Amino acid sequence: MEGFPLLKIEELKERLQTTHIGQTLVYHPVIESTNTLAMTLAREGAALGTVVITDEQPGGRGRQGRSWQTLRGQQALLSIIVRPSFPAHFLVMGTALAVLEAIAFTTDLEPALKWPNDVLIGEKKVGGILIETTGAGNEDLCAVVGIGVNVYGSFKEVPELAQRATTIAEQGVQSVSREQLIATLLERFEENYETLQQGKDEGAWRIWKHWRDHLSTLGRWVRIQQGAQTIEGMAAGVDADGTLLIRQQDGSTAPITWGDVEMC
Ligand code: BT5
């Protein structure tokens, strides 16, 4: 891996202070997509908290068939297998917060969230999340939480990402340890996940409020693309299940549950 060392898995294990999440680590230097492998392992009955992790991911996936671009050996690329008994929108919130908190704690940068779960520094994306589920009928719902964070390097030479993507190093923090960032990310994720698994309203409410407080989308004029349809207006708020509320020019409010948000 030219110039960049591979992840030190033993060091990551030493740094990791979790009970379940990441206690089983499946590492390969190259994996087509950690989410795809994690989905296979989940169907085969992998233990709760199993984490699939890599240094290079040629087939990294985003939402809706999009791709996630790899900078070899310079990102945190992982997928976590969980079995949530709480609604999926809370998993989105708990995961986005975990990424945000891990970056904030290990770098002192101040990331923000773009609804529903892009992690930004300034206006540029530093982290993305792809949650996929498996399980039907009598099987428990199993979710694979895929996370990509850009740590070193830059996307300046990648025309379609130069204006929209950034890395932690590009934001001035060159020295962050990927092992520490990943350990902190898994710890933050575990804490949020366990809070939500307890099923108590106050825990879920705390996570919702924290997530909402970090949404840089709110108060901005936004354009939302839902397939061929575009909705434009002021991002006025989010409701209890994370639905984005858009105040349109005619005074009506459009509830948004999916789509791509562009901040104008
Ligand atoms: C996402 O999708 O942001 C979800 C990304 C999830 C990636 C992780 S890595 C580990 C795991 N295994 C996988 O195969 N995937 C997950 P979406 O919101 O659809 O955003 C995709 C868009 O983000 C692309 O169309 C690009 O515009 C942009 N993009 C692609 N690569 C990027 C990068 N490395 N950094 C920032 N933006 C990127």
Side-chain angles (χ1 to χ4, degrees):
M1 201 101 10
E2 250 170 71
F4 288 91
L6 295 178
L7 272 171
K8 299 178 200 75
I9 295 299
E10 286 312 313
E11 183 183 326
L12 171 57
K13 285 182 181 162
E14 275 162 27
R15 289 178 187 251
L16 190 61
Q17 290 169 6
T18 55
T19 309
H20 301 295
I21 306 293
Q23 289 304 312
T24 304
L25 281 176
V26 178
Y27 168 78
H28 300 284
V30 184
I31 299 177
E32 186 64 17
S33 154
T34 58
N35 259 45
T36 306
L37 178 55
M39 288 291 274
T40 304
L41 297 178
R43 288 195 196 93
E44 290 169 355
L48 166 78
T50 298
V51 169
V52 176
I53 186 162
T54 191
D55 273 297
E56 187 181 353
Q57 190 182 230
R61 297 191 282 110
R63 296 173 304 146
Q64 298 167 38
R66 289 186 289 247
S67 63
W68 177 259
Q69 305 240 2
T70 291
L71 293 167
R72 291 195 308 169
Q74 300 171 73
Q75 290 162 305
L77 301 167
L78 57 96
S79 300
I80 311 168
I81 298 173
V82 285
R83 297 196 167 75
S85 55
F86 52 83
H89 55 265
F90 283 124
L91 189 57
V92 170
M93 297 174 196
T95 306
L97 276 178
V99 177
L100 178 132
E101 291 165 346
I103 295 173
F105 290 177
T106 54
T107 67
D108 281 343
L109 292 169
E110 290 184 17
L113 301 176
K114 184 174 94 165
W115 185 92
N117 61 3
D118 276 353
V119 183
L120 309 181
I121 299 181
E123 299 283 310
K124 291 186 175 179
K125 181 159 162 174
V126 72
I129 295 165
L130 172 67
I131 298 179
E132 298 177 294
T133 55
T134 168
N138 292 335
E139 288 175 58
D140 283 346
L141 178 75
C142 191
V144 165
V145 177
I147 299 170
V149 181
N150 305 323
V151 182
Y152 310 127
S154 154
F155 287 96
K156 282 196 186 111
E157 308 297 321
V158 184
E160 69 274 21
L161 290 182
Q163 299 304 317
R164 356 175 45 185
T166 192
T167 68
I168 289 173
E170 196 173 58
Q171 297 295 321
V173 181
Q174 316 281 343
S175 58
V176 65
S177 142
R178 273 196 305 158
E179 290 77 8
Q180 186 59 56
L181 178 79
I182 292 166
T184 308
L185 170 52
L186 297 178
E187 283 157 27
R188 299 310 307 152
F189 179 86
E190 180 170 276
E191 190 171 323
N192 294 342
Y193 179 78
E194 284 183 351
T195 298
L196 291 165
Q197 279 299 68
Q198 283 166 8
K200 295 196 180 126
D201 285 350
E202 63 181 50
W205 184 82
R206 215 173 46 242
I207 285 177
W208 174 85
K209 187 174 178 308
H210 199 182
W211 170 78
R212 186 204 58 187
D213 288 349
H214 285 91
L215 281 176
S216 60
T217 316
L218 298 186
R220 303 273 299 263
W221 192 264
V222 296
R223 203 172 294 123
I224 290 135
Q225 206 61 46
Q226 288 188 328
Q229 199 195 355
T230 307
I231 297 159
E232 215 178 289
M234 172 68 77
V238 280
D239 72 9
D241 67 6
T243 299
L244 181 62
L245 304 172
I246 300 296
R247 200 176 313 121
Q248 295 173 291
Q249 231 149 12
D250 65 3
S252 65
T253 299
I256 305 294
T257 54
W258 67 282
D260 289 310
V261 175
E262 190 195 329
M263 299 198 264
C264 306

